Amino acid sequence: MKRNDLLWKAALEDLFDDFLRFFFPKADEIFDFSKKFQYLDKELDQLFPPENDTYAPRYVDKLVKVFTNNGQEEWILIHIEVQNYTDPHFASRMFQYYYRILDKYNKPITAFAIFADANKDFYPKHYEREFLGTKVYYAYNTFKIIDQDDAELEASDNPFAMAVLTAKLAVSGQRMKDEQLFEKAYDLAKRLLGKQIPKDKIRKLMTFLRYYVRFENQELIHKFEQEIAILTERSKTMGIEEFLLDQAEKKGKQEGRKEGRKEGRQEGKQEGKHEEAIAIAREMKADGIPIEQIAKFTKLSIEDIKKL
């Protein structure tokens, strides 16, 4: 399998509860999260042997058995296909998945097609076939990663939203220089550490980010690995909030020193300190730290912070 396929398969298992909550706002009412999810990958291998079907890939991404909250021991199947390339037979293949899975299990099925490719024109949403009055129409849930809004994803504390952001950055990065991609990936890592997400999922998302976003320059690959290791280690020892404060303070001091060097007099030093406080406050505000806490840390007024 390609590396992206492996990464997505792992991410879907690591974040499957978040996947359900991402796509279903009332997921906790619909699904019984107290029962374990069952991943039926081996069963899919038996249903879709590649040697007998030229259109079927060697691995289908995920088929998951999920219990519902209908008061009975009822379960359904959720089929997820992550598509990383343009395939003219994709919709037909999705229909094949559906009728073979239905034939084997005879259970309700909902299917998702997640398009992680760079081709905006590739977006097959249904399969349709008709002959002499007989017609088949099969539609499934679709999600095109490059069409998603960055601001909405960044505002979400759902871990799956961060996986989507990572995948979108990787696709966008194909048109960027390595240095620009490095800065964006590093910034995404910092924002990930500032999210209200369980630490074990942050670690898994950080692994997804490290390997899904790719650099052509070997030196930048090693540098990114080192910087991510430093970020994660410091967040463990300092705590996430202290880590963000430390990052903001460092940036503020750098900007403050630049300003302070412009003026040798005491007045200039005072202005430098003020600029330093503003720079720290701006960075903390961008990282989502409460205004009251910023005011306490920087000694700036709440009104001034709100204006930043």
Side-chain angles (χ1 to χ4, degrees), residues 130-169:
E130 183 177 9
F131 181 72
L132 293 177
T134 298
K135 182 176 182 179
V136 171
Y137 184 91
Y138 174 62
Y140 39 86
N141 300 289
T142 60
F143 186 77
K144 189 78 172 181
I145 286 179
I146 58 174
D147 290 341
Q148 303 310 305
D149 183 78
D150 285 1
E152 290 183 8
L153 293 171
E154 290 169 2
S156 173
D157 279 324
N158 186 306
F160 190 77
M162 299 303 291
V164 174
L165 265 176
T166 297
K168 185 177 181 184
L169 175 60

mmCIF file of all heavy atoms in Angstrom, residues 130-169:
data_model
loop_
_atom_site.group_PDB
_atom_site.id
_atom_site.type_symbol
_atom_site.label_atom_id
_atom_site.label_comp_id
_atom_site.label_asym_id
_atom_site.label_seq_id
_atom_site.Cartn_x
_atom_site.Cartn_y
_atom_site.Cartn_z
ATOM 1 N N GLU A 130 -28.978 2.643 -16.315
ATOM 2 C CA GLU A 130 -30.353 2.404 -16.756
ATOM 3 C C GLU A 130 -30.348 1.638 -18.073
ATOM 4 O O GLU A 130 -29.523 1.885 -18.960
ATOM 5 C CB GLU A 130 -31.090 3.734 -16.938
ATOM 6 C CG GLU A 130 -32.548 3.575 -17.326
ATOM 7 C CD GLU A 130 -33.272 4.913 -17.416
ATOM 8 O OE1 GLU A 130 -32.585 5.962 -17.337
ATOM 9 O OE2 GLU A 130 -34.505 4.903 -17.557
ATOM 10 N N PHE A 131 -31.315 0.693 -18.175
ATOM 11 C CA PHE A 131 -31.459 -0.062 -19.419
ATOM 12 C C PHE A 131 -32.881 -0.600 -19.533
ATOM 13 O O PHE A 131 -33.363 -1.338 -18.672
ATOM 14 C CB PHE A 131 -30.459 -1.224 -19.459
ATOM 15 C CG PHE A 131 -30.526 -2.034 -20.726
ATOM 16 C CD1 PHE A 131 -30.055 -1.513 -21.918
ATOM 17 C CD2 PHE A 131 -31.068 -3.314 -20.708
ATOM 18 C CE1 PHE A 131 -30.117 -2.254 -23.086
ATOM 19 C CE2 PHE A 131 -31.129 -4.062 -21.870
ATOM 20 C CZ PHE A 131 -30.651 -3.537 -23.071
ATOM 21 N N LEU A 132 -33.578 -0.175 -20.569
ATOM 22 C CA LEU A 132 -34.918 -0.667 -20.897
ATOM 23 C C LEU A 132 -35.862 -0.655 -19.692
ATOM 24 O O LEU A 132 -36.518 -1.647 -19.376
ATOM 25 C CB LEU A 132 -34.826 -2.087 -21.476
ATOM 26 C CG LEU A 132 -34.129 -2.217 -22.844
ATOM 27 C CD1 LEU A 132 -34.040 -3.669 -23.267
ATOM 28 C CD2 LEU A 132 -34.850 -1.387 -23.903
ATOM 29 N N GLY A 133 -35.930 0.492 -19.036
ATOM 30 C CA GLY A 133 -36.866 0.655 -17.929
ATOM 31 C C GLY A 133 -36.362 0.212 -16.581
ATOM 32 O O GLY A 133 -37.033 0.409 -15.560
ATOM 33 N N THR A 134 -35.182 -0.399 -16.538
ATOM 34 C CA THR A 134 -34.578 -0.804 -15.258
ATOM 35 C C THR A 134 -33.471 0.198 -14.911
ATOM 36 O O THR A 134 -32.584 0.444 -15.733
ATOM 37 C CB THR A 134 -33.989 -2.216 -15.349
ATOM 38 O OG1 THR A 134 -35.049 -3.131 -15.634
ATOM 39 C CG2 THR A 134 -33.319 -2.606 -14.039
ATOM 40 N N LYS A 135 -33.534 0.747 -13.701
ATOM 41 C CA LYS A 135 -32.607 1.817 -13.346
ATOM 42 C C LYS A 135 -32.040 1.612 -11.940
ATOM 43 O O LYS A 135 -32.752 1.204 -11.022
ATOM 44 C CB LYS A 135 -33.326 3.174 -13.412
ATOM 45 C CG LYS A 135 -32.441 4.368 -13.114
ATOM 46 C CD LYS A 135 -33.204 5.679 -13.308
ATOM 47 C CE LYS A 135 -32.308 6.882 -13.049
ATOM 48 N NZ LYS A 135 -33.023 8.164 -13.262
ATOM 49 N N VAL A 136 -30.751 1.900 -11.803
ATOM 50 C CA VAL A 136 -30.075 1.879 -10.509
ATOM 51 C C VAL A 136 -29.482 3.250 -10.247
ATOM 52 O O VAL A 136 -28.849 3.832 -11.140
ATOM 53 C CB VAL A 136 -28.939 0.820 -10.483
ATOM 54 C CG1 VAL A 136 -28.101 0.970 -9.221
ATOM 55 C CG2 VAL A 136 -29.516 -0.581 -10.568
ATOM 56 N N TYR A 137 -29.716 3.772 -9.057
ATOM 57 C CA TYR A 137 -29.126 5.058 -8.655
ATOM 58 C C TYR A 137 -28.595 4.895 -7.242
ATOM 59 O O TYR A 137 -29.352 4.618 -6.316
ATOM 60 C CB TYR A 137 -30.167 6.174 -8.708
ATOM 61 C CG TYR A 137 -29.608 7.553 -8.388
ATOM 62 C CD1 TYR A 137 -29.129 8.381 -9.392
ATOM 63 C CD2 TYR A 137 -29.556 8.011 -7.081
ATOM 64 C CE1 TYR A 137 -28.610 9.632 -9.119
ATOM 65 C CE2 TYR A 137 -29.034 9.262 -6.780
ATOM 66 C CZ TYR A 137 -28.567 10.070 -7.800
ATOM 67 O OH TYR A 137 -28.046 11.316 -7.506
ATOM 68 N N TYR A 138 -27.289 5.034 -7.072
ATOM 69 C CA TYR A 138 -26.663 4.867 -5.757
ATOM 70 C C TYR A 138 -25.881 6.124 -5.405
ATOM 71 O O TYR A 138 -24.948 6.505 -6.114
ATOM 72 C CB TYR A 138 -25.724 3.650 -5.765
ATOM 73 C CG TYR A 138 -24.939 3.490 -4.491
ATOM 74 C CD1 TYR A 138 -25.574 3.284 -3.271
ATOM 75 C CD2 TYR A 138 -23.545 3.544 -4.506
ATOM 76 C CE1 TYR A 138 -24.853 3.136 -2.101
ATOM 77 C CE2 TYR A 138 -22.808 3.390 -3.339
ATOM 78 C CZ TYR A 138 -23.465 3.185 -2.138
ATOM 79 O OH TYR A 138 -22.759 3.052 -0.973
ATOM 80 N N ALA A 139 -26.258 6.777 -4.311
ATOM 81 C CA ALA A 139 -25.568 7.982 -3.836
ATOM 82 C C ALA A 139 -24.938 7.687 -2.483
ATOM 83 O O ALA A 139 -25.459 6.890 -1.688
ATOM 84 C CB ALA A 139 -26.545 9.147 -3.731
ATOM 85 N N TYR A 140 -23.820 8.328 -2.206
ATOM 86 C CA TYR A 140 -23.095 8.119 -0.948
ATOM 87 C C TYR A 140 -22.633 9.482 -0.431
ATOM 88 O O TYR A 140 -22.646 10.479 -1.158
ATOM 89 C CB TYR A 140 -21.894 7.191 -1.174
ATOM 90 C CG TYR A 140 -21.171 7.445 -2.469
ATOM 91 C CD1 TYR A 140 -20.172 8.410 -2.571
ATOM 92 C CD2 TYR A 140 -21.511 6.736 -3.621
ATOM 93 C CE1 TYR A 140 -19.535 8.669 -3.769
ATOM 94 C CE2 TYR A 140 -20.869 6.983 -4.831
ATOM 95 C CZ TYR A 140 -19.889 7.942 -4.904
ATOM 96 O OH TYR A 140 -19.263 8.205 -6.090
ATOM 97 N N ASN A 141 -22.232 9.533 0.828
ATOM 98 C CA ASN A 141 -21.722 10.772 1.418
ATOM 99 C C ASN A 141 -20.363 11.102 0.802
ATOM 100 O O ASN A 141 -19.508 10.216 0.657
ATOM 101 C CB ASN A 141 -21.564 10.618 2.933
ATOM 102 C CG ASN A 141 -22.876 10.284 3.616
ATOM 103 O OD1 ASN A 141 -23.765 11.120 3.719
ATOM 104 N ND2 ASN A 141 -23.013 9.042 4.079
ATOM 105 N N THR A 142 -20.163 12.370 0.449
ATOM 106 C CA THR A 142 -18.888 12.783 -0.145
ATOM 107 C C THR A 142 -18.283 13.953 0.618
ATOM 108 O O THR A 142 -18.995 14.760 1.219
ATOM 109 C CB THR A 142 -19.067 13.192 -1.615
ATOM 110 O OG1 THR A 142 -19.995 14.280 -1.699
ATOM 111 C CG2 THR A 142 -19.571 12.023 -2.449
ATOM 112 N N PHE A 143 -16.951 14.035 0.572
ATOM 113 C CA PHE A 143 -16.232 15.075 1.300
ATOM 114 C C PHE A 143 -14.939 15.356 0.546
ATOM 115 O O PHE A 143 -14.053 14.505 0.466
ATOM 116 C CB PHE A 143 -15.928 14.589 2.722
ATOM 117 C CG PHE A 143 -15.316 15.634 3.622
ATOM 118 C CD1 PHE A 143 -16.084 16.637 4.181
ATOM 119 C CD2 PHE A 143 -13.966 15.580 3.933
ATOM 120 C CE1 PHE A 143 -15.519 17.583 5.030
ATOM 121 C CE2 PHE A 143 -13.388 16.512 4.781
ATOM 122 C CZ PHE A 143 -14.179 17.520 5.328
ATOM 123 N N LYS A 144 -14.838 16.556 -0.034
ATOM 124 C CA LYS A 144 -13.656 16.946 -0.805
ATOM 125 C C LYS A 144 -12.759 17.813 0.079
ATOM 126 O O LYS A 144 -13.118 18.939 0.452
ATOM 127 C CB LYS A 144 -14.075 17.726 -2.055
ATOM 128 C CG LYS A 144 -12.950 18.001 -3.025
ATOM 129 C CD LYS A 144 -12.613 16.778 -3.859
ATOM 130 C CE LYS A 144 -11.613 17.108 -4.959
ATOM 131 N NZ LYS A 144 -11.283 15.934 -5.791
ATOM 132 N N ILE A 145 -11.590 17.312 0.402
ATOM 133 C CA ILE A 145 -10.738 17.977 1.382
ATOM 134 C C ILE A 145 -10.285 19.363 0.921
ATOM 135 O O ILE A 145 -10.292 20.318 1.699
ATOM 136 C CB ILE A 145 -9.532 17.078 1.724
ATOM 137 C CG1 ILE A 145 -10.013 15.931 2.623
ATOM 138 C CG2 ILE A 145 -8.416 17.875 2.413
ATOM 139 C CD1 ILE A 145 -8.944 14.953 3.023
ATOM 140 N N ILE A 146 -9.895 19.514 -0.343
ATOM 141 C CA ILE A 146 -9.368 20.809 -0.785
ATOM 142 C C ILE A 146 -10.451 21.886 -0.844
ATOM 143 O O ILE A 146 -10.135 23.068 -0.958
ATOM 144 C CB ILE A 146 -8.667 20.699 -2.160
ATOM 145 C CG1 ILE A 146 -9.625 20.149 -3.215
ATOM 146 C CG2 ILE A 146 -7.420 19.876 -2.057
ATOM 147 C CD1 ILE A 146 -9.033 20.163 -4.610
ATOM 148 N N ASP A 147 -11.735 21.497 -0.771
ATOM 149 C CA ASP A 147 -12.817 22.475 -0.790
ATOM 150 C C ASP A 147 -13.196 22.975 0.605
ATOM 151 O O ASP A 147 -14.041 23.858 0.740
ATOM 152 C CB ASP A 147 -14.064 21.874 -1.447
ATOM 153 C CG ASP A 147 -13.884 21.670 -2.947
ATOM 154 O OD1 ASP A 147 -12.976 22.295 -3.517
ATOM 155 O OD2 ASP A 147 -14.644 20.876 -3.529
ATOM 156 N N GLN A 148 -12.581 22.423 1.638
ATOM 157 C CA GLN A 148 -12.971 22.782 2.998
ATOM 158 C C GLN A 148 -12.373 24.133 3.410
ATOM 159 O O GLN A 148 -11.310 24.537 2.940
ATOM 160 C CB GLN A 148 -12.530 21.694 3.983
ATOM 161 C CG GLN A 148 -13.079 20.320 3.647
ATOM 162 C CD GLN A 148 -14.574 20.328 3.415
ATOM 163 O OE1 GLN A 148 -15.351 20.778 4.264
ATOM 164 N NE2 GLN A 148 -15.006 19.833 2.253
ATOM 165 N N ASP A 149 -13.069 24.813 4.308
ATOM 166 C CA ASP A 149 -12.661 26.136 4.772
ATOM 167 C C ASP A 149 -11.659 26.009 5.921
ATOM 168 O O ASP A 149 -11.954 25.391 6.955
ATOM 169 C CB ASP A 149 -13.891 26.932 5.233
ATOM 170 C CG ASP A 149 -13.533 28.334 5.661
ATOM 171 O OD1 ASP A 149 -13.326 29.192 4.787
ATOM 172 O OD2 ASP A 149 -13.455 28.578 6.882
ATOM 173 N N ASP A 150 -10.478 26.604 5.750
ATOM 174 C CA ASP A 150 -9.433 26.514 6.771
ATOM 175 C C ASP A 150 -9.890 27.084 8.119
ATOM 176 O O ASP A 150 -9.616 26.494 9.178
ATOM 177 C CB ASP A 150 -8.174 27.256 6.317
ATOM 178 C CG ASP A 150 -7.404 26.486 5.264
ATOM 179 O OD1 ASP A 150 -7.860 25.388 4.889
ATOM 180 O OD2 ASP A 150 -6.356 26.976 4.813
ATOM 181 N N ALA A 151 -10.568 28.233 8.092
ATOM 182 C CA ALA A 151 -10.969 28.895 9.330
ATOM 183 C C ALA A 151 -11.923 28.017 10.137
ATOM 184 O O ALA A 151 -11.804 27.920 11.369
ATOM 185 C CB ALA A 151 -11.626 30.244 9.018
ATOM 186 N N GLU A 152 -12.854 27.362 9.463
ATOM 187 C CA GLU A 152 -13.799 26.489 10.166
ATOM 188 C C GLU A 152 -13.082 25.286 10.767
ATOM 189 O O GLU A 152 -13.372 24.877 11.908
ATOM 190 C CB GLU A 152 -14.896 26.027 9.215
ATOM 191 C CG GLU A 152 -15.856 27.130 8.794
ATOM 192 C CD GLU A 152 -16.971 26.621 7.902
ATOM 193 O OE1 GLU A 152 -17.072 25.376 7.745
ATOM 194 O OE2 GLU A 152 -17.743 27.432 7.372
ATOM 195 N N LEU A 153 -12.156 24.721 10.022
ATOM 196 C CA LEU A 153 -11.413 23.574 10.542
ATOM 197 C C LEU A 153 -10.541 23.973 11.729
ATOM 198 O O LEU A 153 -10.463 23.252 12.727
ATOM 199 C CB LEU A 153 -10.546 22.972 9.432
ATOM 200 C CG LEU A 153 -11.297 22.317 8.269
ATOM 201 C CD1 LEU A 153 -10.328 21.977 7.140
ATOM 202 C CD2 LEU A 153 -12.038 21.064 8.718
ATOM 203 N N GLU A 154 -9.889 25.123 11.625
ATOM 204 C CA GLU A 154 -9.018 25.590 12.701
ATOM 205 C C GLU A 154 -9.802 25.920 13.968
ATOM 206 O O GLU A 154 -9.293 25.778 15.083
ATOM 207 C CB GLU A 154 -8.232 26.814 12.241
ATOM 208 C CG GLU A 154 -7.177 26.503 11.184
ATOM 209 C CD GLU A 154 -6.594 27.759 10.559
ATOM 210 O OE1 GLU A 154 -6.984 28.859 10.982
ATOM 211 O OE2 GLU A 154 -5.758 27.631 9.641
ATOM 212 N N ALA A 155 -11.046 26.363 13.803
ATOM 213 C CA ALA A 155 -11.871 26.725 14.958
ATOM 214 C C ALA A 155 -12.404 25.502 15.689
ATOM 215 O O ALA A 155 -12.837 25.600 16.846
ATOM 216 C CB ALA A 155 -13.034 27.604 14.514
ATOM 217 N N SER A 156 -12.360 24.355 15.041
ATOM 218 C CA SER A 156 -12.912 23.138 15.631
ATOM 219 C C SER A 156 -11.924 22.484 16.585
ATOM 220 O O SER A 156 -10.719 22.480 16.345
ATOM 221 C CB SER A 156 -13.291 22.145 14.519
ATOM 222 O OG SER A 156 -13.685 20.907 15.056
ATOM 223 N N ASP A 157 -12.448 21.915 17.678
ATOM 224 C CA ASP A 157 -11.629 21.125 18.586
ATOM 225 C C ASP A 157 -11.799 19.635 18.328
ATOM 226 O O ASP A 157 -11.352 18.809 19.130
ATOM 227 C CB ASP A 157 -11.987 21.442 20.046
ATOM 228 C CG ASP A 157 -11.327 22.719 20.545
ATOM 229 O OD1 ASP A 157 -10.172 22.983 20.142
ATOM 230 O OD2 ASP A 157 -11.954 23.458 21.320
ATOM 231 N N ASN A 158 -12.455 19.286 17.218
ATOM 232 C CA ASN A 158 -12.582 17.885 16.851
ATOM 233 C C ASN A 158 -11.260 17.415 16.231
ATOM 234 O O ASN A 158 -10.792 17.998 15.255
ATOM 235 C CB ASN A 158 -13.730 17.713 15.846
ATOM 236 C CG ASN A 158 -14.011 16.258 15.528
ATOM 237 O OD1 ASN A 158 -13.123 15.505 15.134
ATOM 238 N ND2 ASN A 158 -15.255 15.854 15.680
ATOM 239 N N PRO A 159 -10.649 16.376 16.780
ATOM 240 C CA PRO A 159 -9.360 15.923 16.249
ATOM 241 C C PRO A 159 -9.396 15.586 14.760
ATOM 242 O O PRO A 159 -8.403 15.783 14.053
ATOM 243 C CB PRO A 159 -9.059 14.679 17.090
ATOM 244 C CG PRO A 159 -9.771 14.926 18.379
ATOM 245 C CD PRO A 159 -11.032 15.629 17.994
ATOM 246 N N PHE A 160 -10.529 15.088 14.271
ATOM 247 C CA PHE A 160 -10.588 14.737 12.847
ATOM 248 C C PHE A 160 -10.450 15.977 11.976
ATOM 249 O O PHE A 160 -9.912 15.898 10.862
ATOM 250 C CB PHE A 160 -11.894 14.000 12.524
ATOM 251 C CG PHE A 160 -11.911 13.411 11.146
ATOM 252 C CD1 PHE A 160 -11.221 12.244 10.866
ATOM 253 C CD2 PHE A 160 -12.596 14.033 10.110
ATOM 254 C CE1 PHE A 160 -11.211 11.700 9.583
ATOM 255 C CE2 PHE A 160 -12.598 13.503 8.823
ATOM 256 C CZ PHE A 160 -11.893 12.329 8.566
ATOM 257 N N ALA A 161 -10.898 17.127 12.460
ATOM 258 C CA ALA A 161 -10.741 18.375 11.704
ATOM 259 C C ALA A 161 -9.260 18.688 11.503
ATOM 260 O O ALA A 161 -8.865 19.202 10.449
ATOM 261 C CB ALA A 161 -11.437 19.525 12.431
ATOM 262 N N MET A 162 -8.430 18.365 12.488
ATOM 263 C CA MET A 162 -6.999 18.607 12.355
ATOM 264 C C MET A 162 -6.368 17.642 11.339
ATOM 265 O O MET A 162 -5.423 17.994 10.636
ATOM 266 C CB MET A 162 -6.306 18.461 13.712
ATOM 267 C CG MET A 162 -6.811 19.446 14.769
ATOM 268 S SD MET A 162 -6.653 21.181 14.244
ATOM 269 C CE MET A 162 -4.878 21.387 14.244
ATOM 270 N N ALA A 163 -6.892 16.423 11.261
ATOM 271 C CA ALA A 163 -6.410 15.487 10.244
ATOM 272 C C ALA A 163 -6.755 16.010 8.853
ATOM 273 O O ALA A 163 -5.946 15.915 7.923
ATOM 274 C CB ALA A 163 -7.020 14.107 10.474
ATOM 275 N N VAL A 164 -7.950 16.584 8.711
ATOM 276 C CA VAL A 164 -8.359 17.161 7.431
ATOM 277 C C VAL A 164 -7.454 18.340 7.077
ATOM 278 O O VAL A 164 -7.022 18.485 5.924
ATOM 279 C CB VAL A 164 -9.838 17.601 7.473
ATOM 280 C CG1 VAL A 164 -10.223 18.346 6.193
ATOM 281 C CG2 VAL A 164 -10.750 16.389 7.665
ATOM 282 N N LEU A 165 -7.152 19.184 8.060
ATOM 283 C CA LEU A 165 -6.251 20.322 7.824
ATOM 284 C C LEU A 165 -4.881 19.842 7.350
ATOM 285 O O LEU A 165 -4.269 20.436 6.456
ATOM 286 C CB LEU A 165 -6.095 21.147 9.109
ATOM 287 C CG LEU A 165 -6.987 22.363 9.291
ATOM 288 C CD1 LEU A 165 -6.749 22.987 10.662
ATOM 289 C CD2 LEU A 165 -6.774 23.393 8.198
ATOM 290 N N THR A 166 -4.389 18.780 7.962
ATOM 291 C CA THR A 166 -3.097 18.224 7.568
ATOM 292 C C THR A 166 -3.128 17.744 6.124
ATOM 293 O O THR A 166 -2.218 18.033 5.331
ATOM 294 C CB THR A 166 -2.723 17.053 8.495
ATOM 295 O OG1 THR A 166 -2.570 17.538 9.836
ATOM 296 C CG2 THR A 166 -1.423 16.401 8.049
ATOM 297 N N ALA A 167 -4.187 17.014 5.779
ATOM 298 C CA ALA A 167 -4.303 16.502 4.412
ATOM 299 C C ALA A 167 -4.439 17.641 3.404
ATOM 300 O O ALA A 167 -3.865 17.589 2.310
ATOM 301 C CB ALA A 167 -5.503 15.562 4.313
ATOM 302 N N LYS A 168 -5.182 18.676 3.779
ATOM 303 C CA LYS A 168 -5.329 19.814 2.872
ATOM 304 C C LYS A 168 -3.999 20.540 2.687
ATOM 305 O O LYS A 168 -3.652 20.960 1.577
ATOM 306 C CB LYS A 168 -6.383 20.786 3.400
ATOM 307 C CG LYS A 168 -6.665 21.929 2.432
ATOM 308 C CD LYS A 168 -7.762 22.861 2.913
ATOM 309 C CE LYS A 168 -8.004 23.954 1.876
ATOM 310 N NZ LYS A 168 -9.007 24.949 2.337
ATOM 311 N N LEU A 169 -3.224 20.680 3.759
ATOM 312 C CA LEU A 169 -1.911 21.310 3.649
ATOM 313 C C LEU A 169 -1.003 20.489 2.743
ATOM 314 O O LEU A 169 -0.246 21.043 1.940
ATOM 315 C CB LEU A 169 -1.283 21.450 5.034
ATOM 316 C CG LEU A 169 0.151 21.992 5.074
ATOM 317 C CD1 LEU A 169 0.212 23.392 4.461
ATOM 318 C CD2 LEU A 169 0.676 22.017 6.508
#
